[in-house]
Structure formats: structure tokens, C-alpha cells
Amino acid sequence: MPVSWFLLSLALGRSPVVLSLERLVGPQDTARCSPGLSCHLWDGDLLCLPGSIVSAPGPVLVPTHLQTELVLRCHQETDCGLCVRVAVHLAVHGHWEEPKDEEQFGRAADAGLEEARNASLQAQVVLSFNSYTTARCVLLEVKVPAALVQPGQSVGSVVFDCFEAALGAEVQIWSYTQPNYQKELNFTQQLPALPWLNVSADGDDVHLVLDVSKEQHFGLSLYWNQVENPTKPWWHRNLTGPQTITLNHKDLVPCLCIQVWPLEPDSVRTSICPFRKDPRAHRNLWRAARLQLLPPRGWRLDAPCSLPAEATLCWQALGGGPCQPLVPPLSRENVTVNKPLEFPLLKGHPNLCVQVSSWEKMQLQECLWSDSLGPLKDDMLLVETRGPQDNRSLCALEPSGCTPLLSRASTRAARLGEHLLQDLESGQCLQLWDDDLGALWACPMNKYTHQRWALVWLACLLFAAVLFLLLLLKKDHVKGWLRLLKEDVHAGAAARSRSALLLYSADDEGFERLVGALASALCQLPLRVAVDLWSRRELSAHGPLAWFHAQRRQTLQEGGVVVLLFSPGAVALCHEWLQDRASVPGAQSPHDAFAASLNCVLPDFLQGRAPGRYVGAYFDSLLRPDAVPALFRAVPVLSLPSQLPDFLRALQGPGIPRLGRLADWAEQVSRALQPVLDSCQRLPATPETGREVGLEAGDRT
């Protein structure tokens, strides 16, 4: 019964724990024998009629043992079906009987017996196969030469390819001979069943859909199938019935595999790795790869999966520009992930970096040793190439290439070629690498830089003089520019005098990190920010209510604004206060200033004193706009980060800067918030017949 190659590869495909099946191409049945035997498969099936058992006239061939093996019969490359190969082991049964009246027959009987003993044995072996979808009978004709005929001894086997079957089916196999000299052999086998699995994509999510019966208990594991290292589990659950597992596309890597098995003793585990050719998985793999420093000069590439990559050293000049690969003289090296590697260097240098490339495209670059050896140096790298008969050439590595020393090129190395040769001969250069092919030298350039400071100062004075003349010629434009500068200074001074008090409900650690990120980003602007996260000692000493009263009084006296950050916890506390019209009980945490502040904040809104003194805000992905109580709509309630420009404009107050600067500030705050917002998103979940099972951090092993 043909099924899709995808499902067969899931049930019986290649895996560290699942046997890989042999593939047979073509629809024809075949038979083959052990060495020394000859066999023939009759065309077409026949009617299965074992018949009665008869006595053997002498030595005969009979089946003694049945053996099966699962294979795949493929009509096309991806159109394969499960097939059962059957091996029938044969032996000689019975023996030759001596004539009763030896004198009566004489030499004629002796000759006939001798002729029969020297003849080969022949048998017709029947194989019968039954499953709930298939019933077949085939006939195999087998011949055994006289030399192998030994009564009671095995003579070999005949193998039949093959009976097609369905996954999960129970099959029965019988074998006997025609005529039938003994009771037929029988064999029953349960073929492995498959929990049907489908992988589908929905936007940024990937769904693993398992269609099994409601009573079926099975295990599901997601793991990284690493070639160089042992299999690394990532997520595991025991589940029941049909399931849908949701993964974020950022979690996909090429070696992410899925393993499913029934929760039964000695059950067969089925595996599939469906993301090996997924472009998103390959991009995620390179994003997850990290180069790690291993002092003194070693390094390691950490990645979830194997990477077809090469690594080489490169030289990063102090002035910037691309890192120059040192190939040649140093050769590229194949990368083995999660394994320490080391280049054959004599000395380390902060300008030496590692490049990791894949398919001639540079993917990663790190100057790994700069942390331990200090910042980049203004050194010139000299590449020495050695040839036959002690021939030696020197060139200096520059962004334009390797410049020969003493050349007429208009580059820095060419102008200082003679000086660099003198430094090399006097031992002022550091040798980084040396072998029969060449060497690498790092020569310091600081002294040549100091000699040119006089020219630099002269150029600066000349530039200042030219600029002064231009200002005199364009004095009207200069006045306009100075007026704009004065406006910016006044706006900045007004903004610096503006203070903001952030109030929030400490729902969880993730939301506290988000509030901390917002407060830190606002501090980078001309604002003074107060938040209880930065006043833990004062809160513990005086209590949240006293701390809030002091901060609110100071903020409003200075013309500042109180920012209410709404979250699900904050909305719940506000609804409780509004329904009971009573003081909210003291906060459980000694550091929770939000609950303590409601007794003062809500009366301001109820009595109409809030406009101009309060601003509301909430985060787009954490709260719906309609969740904020209507009472607080008396002041602007803005969503973050989508309405950041309006939020910053409300914080600035009267001294509003130009639109261009406000947009730059909004972009700066948005960049600071986005990574923390991403980490606050919900992890992948598993709907289980109406409920969800999340991939929680504790489930990852």
C-alpha cells in the first residue's frame, strides 16, 4: 500500500534511534537463494491449498524457520510503500530406505538406489501472506545439489521480495511444500504504527499537528541532531490524543528534529528533521552562532548545529576599513562547531581577528583577543614570503592590498618603506608567525604619527582662518544660525528642568525590566526621571506611601508630570478601588508604590485636577487600548512604542524641541525598548483540545 515518502520517512526514516530501511526500485517480485542452491519464482499468484500431510518417499526439502525484514518498495523517488521481505530456511527431512528383498532385485536395486542418492533434491515451497488489506500466495521452486543433501541438516534459505503492507497492520505468513510433508509453518507480525504528523507554517509560527486517537498516549521530543556531538534535547512532553504544537520561526534551525513514540514498553521511536532545507532555519543558525575567546590564542564557534564553514585570521587596521584576510600565507581551516581551535601563532596581537565564511561569504568576524591584549594598535603588518634559494620578498598589508616595500606607490607603507625595513632589521617589529613559507611581522607606527603633528596643527589653523573668513562673508546666514542655536539652548534648558515620576504596578520581573528600560532611555534625554526601582533603600526605610508623597510633591512643584504606566495588574487595582470606593489594601511588596499611590492619584481624576499634571501610557503588546478605565481618559493615554513622539511631546511640556529632534529621541527610546519588549512576549504554546500547553522555560532540558 503506497503512502507518501514524508510519512514513511517520519515512521521509519534515518535517525540516531530508528533503523534505516533498504529501498527496492520497481514493482516486480523477485527470489534469490543461498550459495549452492538454485531457485525460481513462478509467475503470478496461486490458490492457497495446503492439502493433507503425506509420508516422504525419501529425503525431501521442508521449511524449518521463517524470518522477516521491513523494506521499502519505491515506484518513484518519493512514492514508496512498506514491504515485508520473507526468508524461508530449508532442511533435509527423511532418509533413503534399503530394499526389503535384496536377493530378489540384486544389482538392479543397488544401481537404482545409488542413482537416487546421487540426484539433486527439488521442492515446491509455498508462501502465503495475509493482512487486512492483502492476501497472496506465491510458489518458489528450489533445487539442492546431491553434495549438500545430508538428512537432518540445513541446506540454506530462499528469500522472497516482497509482500506489500500498510503501516500499523498485523500480518500472518504461512509456508509449506507441495506435496505437504509436515505441518505448515506460521508467523505473525505487528508492523509499526505512526502517529500522523504534519508540519505547516502560519506567518511567523510553525505548527506541528499530530493526528492520533484520543486515547493514544505518546511522547514528543524536540532535539538538536548534532553530527560532531551527542544529540542535545531541547523540549520534551508526554501527551495524549491529537495535539498542535506551535513554534516561533526564530526557534527553527536545520538540525531541529522531532521524535514521537507510543508510551509503551520497547516502543519504536520515529523521527523527522523537516527544517534541513528551510532558508529561515539556516538564517537563524548563523544568528545563533557565537565566536568565543579561549585564552591565550584559542577560539571556539558555538552553534546549535553543524556549519559548513571555514575560518581564517585577518588583520584589522586601527583606522577602520575591512579586515584583511591573511590567506595566503595562513591557510583556511574547516570549522568544527563547539570544539576549541587554535591558529599556529607565535605571539598574539589585538589587531588579529577571526573570520568565519560560508560559501565564500563572510558570516562572522570577531577580534577575539582584543579584550585580553588591549585596544587596536597603530601597527603595520609586514608579510614575508620565502621562495627557493633563500629568495625573500616583503610587502605591507594595507586596505588596497599588499604593497611592496621601496615601491613608488602613493601609500603610507610605500612612503615609509625604508624606515620599516630598518625597524625590521633592528628588531623593533614583533614576529607573529613563522614557518618555511614565510613570516608575519607587526611594526609599530606611533613614532611616525608623532612626527606629523606639526602638519596637522598647521592644517587646523589654516582651516580655522578660512572658516572665519567665510563667516564674515556670510554674516546674515550666521545670525540666523545663531538664532536657531539659541532656541535649541532655551528648549534644552526648559526640558532639563522638566521632571517625570513613573508609577507602575510590579506585575512580574519581566514588566519591571521593561519599566527599567523605559526609565533608562528617558534619562538619556533632557529629562529627570524618578522611579521606585532606583529608590529601594528609601522605600524600605520610609515605606512606599511616604516615598510617593515626597516624590509627587517635588515633581508637581517643579512643573513636572506624573506618568501612569498601565498594565493588567494596574488596571485590576484601579477597578478594585473604583468599585469599593475605599483605600486599596497595603501592597504585599514593601517596594510597590503604585498600590500606595492610588489613594492620592484617583481623587485627582475624580475631582478634575489631573489634566496637565498626569500622562497615561501602556505598551502595545501587553494591554488592549480599551482596557484602560474611562476615568483616566481625562488625560492623554498613549501607546508605546507606536505613539512615542506624542508621549515625549507630553513629557517635554512648554519647551517643545523641533520635530526632527523629537523624532530622533523617539527612535532612540524605541531601540532601547524593543529587545525587552520581545523578551516579554509569550513563549510558544500547545493547544490541547481547547486548552494550551506552553513551551515553558522549565520544560527545556
Side-chain angles (χ1 to χ4, degrees):
M1 175 184 177
V3 296
S4 71
W5 174 249
F6 172 81
L7 295 176
L8 281 174
S9 65
L10 171 61
L12 304 160
R14 296 172 183 172
S15 165
V17 294
V18 180
L19 181 65
S20 179
L21 300 185
E22 179 182 346
R23 301 177 66 182
L24 306 178
V25 180
Q28 297 83 12
D29 295 335
T30 59
R32 64 181 187 276
C33 307
S34 300
L37 307 185
S38 61
C39 54
H40 171 68
L41 174 64
W42 282 36
D43 294 333
D45 291 1
L46 65 144
L47 186 63
C48 294
L49 295 173
S52 303
I53 298 176
V54 299
S55 300
V60 294
L61 289 177
V62 293
T64 59
H65 177 62
L66 292 177
Q67 188 175 354
T68 62
E69 180 185 357
L70 296 181
V71 295
L72 295 176
R73 168 166 285 172
C74 301
H75 303 279
Q76 295 179 359
E77 179 66 20
T78 59
D79 184 16
C80 299
L82 191 62
C83 216
V84 181
R85 170 184 288 166
V86 182
V88 184
H89 296 266
L90 303 172
V92 178
H93 174 72
H95 55 82
W96 296 107
E97 296 182 359
E98 299 293 337
K100 295 181 180 180
D101 193 351
E102 201 170 316
E103 295 181 357
Q104 180 180 355
F105 297 99
R107 294 182 177 179
D110 292 341
L113 181 61
E114 186 67 19
E115 181 180 355
R117 288 177 174 175
N118 293 331
S120 61
L121 286 184
Q122 181 173 335
Q124 292 183 338
V125 180
V126 178
L127 280 178
S128 175
F129 179 89
N130 272 305
S131 70
Y132 70 91
T133 58
T134 307
R136 292 188 60 192
C137 262
V138 297
L139 182 63
L140 304 169
E141 192 170 86
V142 184
K143 287 184 179 181
V144 180
L148 298 180
V149 177
Q150 297 292 334
Q153 299 294 320
S154 174
V155 296
S157 62
V158 57
V159 179
F160 171 75
D161 284 329
C162 57
F163 296 113
E164 295 186 6
L167 286 168
E170 182 182 84
V171 299
Q172 294 178 323
I173 304 171
W174 292 271
S175 180
Y176 54 89
T177 59
Q178 289 184 344
N180 192 4
Y181 299 114
Q182 66 177 19
K183 185 179 180 180
E184 61 270 13
L185 296 178
N186 65 81
F187 180 84
T188 302
Q189 182 177 4
Q190 180 71 47
L191 301 186
L194 170 69
W196 303 104
L197 175 64
N198 181 38
V199 181
S200 62
D202 181 14
D204 289 343
D205 294 330
V206 176
H207 302 294
L208 312 178
V209 182
L210 292 100
D211 185 12
V212 298
S213 63
K214 294 183 179 180
E215 297 79 15
Q216 177 69 52
H217 301 272
F218 60 92
L220 176 68
S221 177
L222 304 178
Y223 64 93
W224 290 324
N225 185 20
Q226 298 176 335
V227 177
E228 296 89 354
N229 300 289
T231 298
K232 185 177 181 181
W234 181 61
W235 185 83
H236 167 78
R237 275 289 180 84
N238 292 334
L239 303 171
T240 303
Q243 297 286 337
T244 299
I245 311 298
T246 302
L247 300 175
N248 191 283
H249 72 96
K250 295 180 180 179
D251 294 327
L252 304 184
V253 290
C255 65
L256 180 61
C257 299
I258 308 159
Q259 190 177 94
V260 187
W261 66 94
L263 295 179
E264 300 171 356
D266 301 325
S267 60
V268 177
R269 296 197 175 200
T270 60
S271 296
I272 182 175
C273 303
F275 309 111
R276 289 175 177 170
K277 298 183 179 180
D278 192 321
R280 296 178 303 177
H282 284 275
R283 289 194 297 268
N284 292 338
L285 177 58
W286 279 110
R287 293 192 187 106
R290 294 291 181 269
L291 283 171
Q292 181 181 355
L293 167 66
L294 298 174
R297 291 177 297 278
W299 59 279
R300 182 175 66 196
L301 179 63
D302 293 325
C305 311
S306 300
L307 283 169
E310 292 180 328
T312 186
L313 283 178
C314 64
W315 179 264
Q316 181 64 62
L318 178 62
C323 195
Q324 300 291 106
L326 302 180
V327 181
L330 291 176
S331 60
R332 295 186 180 273
E333 184 173 325
N334 292 329
V335 176
T336 302
V337 298
N338 307 322
K339 179 181 178 181
L341 300 171
E342 187 170 337
F343 281 102
L345 294 173
L346 297 176
K347 298 288 185 179
H349 195 282
N351 294 38
L352 285 174
C353 306
V354 174
Q355 282 184 344
V356 178
S357 305
S358 176
W359 298 295
E360 299 182 355
K361 178 183 178 182
M362 200 273 289
Q363 300 282 1
L364 295 173
Q365 176 180 310
E366 291 290 342
C367 298
L368 299 176
W369 301 292
S370 59
D371 292 338
S372 58
L373 300 177
L376 296 178
K377 295 182 178 180
D378 187 16
D379 289 0
M380 182 70 69
L381 186 71
L382 300 185
V383 180
E384 178 183 348
T385 305
R386 297 167 182 165
Q389 299 179 355
D390 295 331
N391 289 334
R392 187 177 80 156
S393 62
L394 279 169
C395 64
L397 195 63
E398 295 185 291
S400 59
C402 205
T403 305
L405 298 183
L406 305 179
S407 68
R408 296 183 178 180
S410 58
T411 64
R412 184 187 186 192
R415 290 192 300 269
L416 300 174
E418 293 184 0
H419 300 284
L420 291 173
L421 283 176
Q422 293 174 3
D423 292 344
L424 181 61
E425 293 173 355
S426 61
Q428 298 182 39
C429 298
L430 176 66
Q431 188 175 33
L432 304 179
W433 172 76
D434 182 38
D435 74 351
D436 296 337
L437 298 178
L440 296 176
W441 305 82
C443 299
M445 302 291 288
N446 294 334
K447 59 182 179 180
Y448 303 113
T449 304
H450 295 159
Q451 293 174 0
R452 305 182 66 182
W453 273 113
L455 295 177
V456 173
W457 280 111
L458 182 60
C460 291
L461 292 175
L462 181 60
F463 175 76
V466 172
L467 181 61
F468 180 72
L469 291 175
L470 290 176
L471 293 177
L472 291 178
L473 294 175
K474 301 289 184 179
K475 58 182 179 179
D476 293 335
H477 295 284
V478 172
K479 289 181 179 179
W481 177 76
L482 290 175
R483 184 168 56 254
L484 292 176
L485 180 60
K486 183 178 180 181
E487 292 176 359
D488 285 348
V489 170
H490 287 307
R496 279 191 296 273
S497 63
R498 185 79 162 172
S499 60
L501 172 61
L502 299 187
L503 294 180
Y504 69 99
S505 174
D507 292 4
D508 51 42
E509 293 182 0
F511 191 75
E512 282 193 321
R513 288 196 301 270
L514 186 56
V515 173
L518 176 62
S520 299
L522 293 178
C523 284
Q524 303 302 317
L525 310 180
L527 285 171
R528 291 191 295 107
V529 180
V531 63
D532 62 354
L533 279 173
W534 301 339
S535 304
R536 296 298 196 194
R537 183 174 300 176
E538 297 178 27
L539 284 170
S540 299
H542 305 292
L545 187 59
W547 178 88
F548 166 72
H549 276 299
Q551 293 296 328
R552 174 177 172 273
R553 181 173 60 254
Q554 180 181 353
T555 299
L556 296 181
Q557 286 178 352
E558 295 175 355
V561 63
V562 179
V563 179
L564 300 178
L565 288 177
F566 289 100
S567 65
V571 171
L573 287 173
C574 293
H575 280 302
E576 183 180 350
W577 198 97
L578 291 172
Q579 290 173 1
D580 297 342
R581 292 296 177 101
S583 297
V584 178
Q588 297 298 322
S589 170
H591 304 147
D592 191 354
F594 185 83
S597 67
L598 287 180
N599 290 323
C600 296
V601 170
L602 291 178
D604 284 348
F605 282 85
L606 292 173
Q607 298 172 14
R609 298 195 303 264
R613 307 169 76 182
Y614 291 84
V615 173
Y618 62 93
F619 294 100
D620 298 327
S621 55
L622 303 182
L623 193 70
R624 299 190 312 273
D626 57 352
V628 179
L631 175 65
F632 298 95
R633 301 291 178 178
V635 300
V637 180
L638 306 169
S639 63
L640 305 180
S642 59
Q643 292 182 305
L644 262 175
D646 295 334
F647 177 69
L648 296 179
R649 185 179 292 109
L651 295 185
Q652 293 298 320
I656 299 176
R658 297 199 309 271
L659 293 178
R661 176 171 296 181
L662 194 63
D664 293 341
W665 288 352
E667 178 65 23
Q668 178 181 340
V669 176
S670 178
R671 285 197 304 267
L673 288 179
Q674 198 58 50
V676 190
L677 271 174
D678 292 342
S679 67
C680 287
Q681 302 304 312
R682 296 186 60 193
L683 295 176
T686 305
E688 179 182 351
T689 62
R691 66 183 186 274
E692 291 198 349
V693 180
L695 294 179
E696 296 158 352
D699 296 326
R700 300 190 183 188
T701 58

